[in-house]
Amino acid sequence: MQENKNEQTTGTKMTKKIGKVTYEVIVHFNENATETMQDKLKRIMLMELRRKSDEKKDDFD
């Protein structure tokens, strides 16, 4: 198994072990972002709802 490691450690670091695998995630935010986190999450959820709605329409065609 190949390990890809990013040495960038600015941000919040989280480590989670699931079974025998340990996941390490570093979260960071763009200081110049124009979209709030709330707006971003709302946009992502709406896109997902639209995608699921389109899938259902395709099932009935």
Side-chain angles (χ1 to χ4, degrees), residues 7-14 24-31:
E7 296 300 324
Q8 180 181 357
T9 57
T10 58
T12 302
K13 179 178 169 183
M14 296 177 283
E24 184 176 285
V25 178
I26 299 173
V27 180
H28 58 92
F29 299 95
N30 181 348
E31 295 291 331

Side-chain angles (χ1 to χ4, degrees), residues 7-43:
E7 296 300 324
Q8 180 181 357
T9 57
T10 58
T12 302
K13 179 178 169 183
M14 296 177 283
T15 305
K16 175 74 173 179
K17 186 170 184 176
I18 302 175
K20 295 181 179 180
V21 179
T22 301
Y23 297 91
E24 184 176 285
V25 178
I26 299 173
V27 180
H28 58 92
F29 299 95
N30 181 348
E31 295 291 331
N32 300 318
T34 58
E35 187 177 40
T36 66
M37 181 57 82
Q38 182 177 354
D39 291 340
K40 183 180 288 268
L41 290 171
K42 182 178 178 181
R43 178 176 51 82

Side-chain angles (χ1 to χ4, degrees), residues 47-61:
M47 285 183 349
E48 183 66 12
L49 286 170
R50 287 184 186 123
R51 186 183 66 80
K52 288 188 182 278
S53 176
D54 289 345
E55 285 178 1
K56 286 183 181 180
K57 287 179 187 175
D58 289 342
D59 289 344
F60 289 113
D61 289 340

